[in-house]
Amino acid sequence: MNEHPRLTSLAHGGGCGCKLAPSVLRELLAGQPVAQAFPQLLVGTETSDDAAVWQVDDNTCVIATTDFFMPMVDNPRDFGRIAATNAISDIYAMGGRPIMALAILGMPVDKLPADQIRQILEGGREICAEAGIPVAGGHSIDAPEPIYGLAVIGLCHPSELRRNADAKPGDVLILTKGLGVGIYSAAIKKNALDEAGLAEMVASTTTLNRVGSDLSKRADVHAITDVTGFGILGHGLEIARGAGLRLHLDLARLPLLTRAAELAQAEFFTGASTRNWAAYGAEVILPQGLADWQRNLLTDPQTSGGLLVACAPEAAADVLQQIRSAGFPLAAIVGRAEAGSAGITVD
């Protein structure tokens, strides 16, 4: 009999579902100093982008990000792998390539054995090795709940930087991974997800979004962001607000994990999903009569989710094929950007 508690039982939330609600985050950041006092800071907090970017010279930008959370799975190695993949994703979403990482670790050392903590760290190192980067250091504390993640540094050429605010009217929107990670996580908490579902979720959340670095070399790819804790609507809104455009999402074309719709209809969802809708629902137009479970899919917090890519319409078919060939079989065209009031309409 296992004498140690389940990892997920030690945390009040898990994965990117731990993020503060968008409205709370905006309130906390209100009144912060204007970053434009530093002209070399190309990307700061102004458009809620995925990472900070500092231009060193005419050929080099440094990209910096950090991401960490509590466990959404009970296997410690998988927790480490998922958290590392999620953190590195911010670099890819900006069009960069990662060069090194620092570990962030908080563990209840009186509740978890050292071997399990080592497995978490090993999982993170494994993903970093796959990305071709070292874990060059880090920091650890004794914490009441298990926390793990990375601070990641990357590089890109200024011409390859992709902000979330640079979408253009007429752009086609492509999503690279299936939605439903938060719903699967809620099912894990209640022992309602089978082994096949768990394997599917782990496979998705440990797939590196390195295709973002390749897409940034295309002039016809205008904007990229990764879809994480605020769901497809929340991160879509960041594109819409930044670019001053109306995004139209085609509900029927959104890719889903295999059991996402089934579990959503069985009322598996996270508290973060509800908080997300409360934070930004006023900026979204939904189809009349949309069921609550369908709305929960749209607000579902994704941990280590896919990239949302805005590209020129004439390039969409080729961009989609490039993404699928890079190992994203669920990638799909999910909508378009149009001139209009900033927000999202779900068709």
Side-chain angles (χ1 to χ4, degrees), residues 6-9 11-18 69-74 78-79 82 86 178-194 197-202 204-205 228-229 257 259-260 263-264 267-273 296-297 300-305:
R6 295 173 59 193
L7 268 180
T8 53
S9 73
H12 73 278
C16 287
C18 300
F69 46 62
M70 291 167 281
M72 54 184 291
V73 293
D74 291 311
D78 286 341
F79 172 38
I82 293 167
N86 179 76
L179 302 173
V181 175
I183 288 166
Y184 274 41
S185 299
I188 288 172
K189 278 272 193 183
K190 297 183 179 180
N191 290 313
L193 188 66
D194 59 16
L198 178 60
E200 179 189 24
M201 187 187 80
V202 170
S204 178
T205 55
T228 54
L257 298 180
R259 296 189 61 197
L263 291 169
E267 299 189 349
F268 287 99
F269 61 92
T270 68
S273 181
N296 287 338
L297 284 167
D300 186 50
Q302 304 305 291
T303 300
S304 192

Side-chain angles (χ1 to χ4, degrees), residues 106-195:
M107 287 291 146
V109 293
D110 59 331
K111 297 175 183 176
L112 279 178
D115 180 60
Q116 286 200 29
I117 298 173
R118 278 195 297 269
Q119 288 181 56
I120 293 169
L121 294 171
E122 273 305 309
R125 286 194 194 96
E126 180 182 325
I127 288 297
C128 286
E130 185 179 337
I133 64 173
V135 179
H139 186 63
S140 61
I141 61 169
D142 185 358
E145 295 180 282
I147 297 168
Y148 176 69
L150 300 174
V152 191
I153 303 299
L155 300 174
C156 75
H157 190 279
S159 67
E160 294 174 2
L161 174 63
R162 289 297 178 270
R163 301 172 177 86
N164 65 0
D166 290 339
K168 302 180 185 303
D171 275 357
V172 168
L173 304 174
I174 298 173
L175 181 62
T176 65
K177 290 185 182 181
L179 302 173
V181 175
I183 288 166
Y184 274 41
S185 299
I188 288 172
K189 278 272 193 183
K190 297 183 179 180
N191 290 313
L193 188 66
D194 59 16
E195 287 298 319

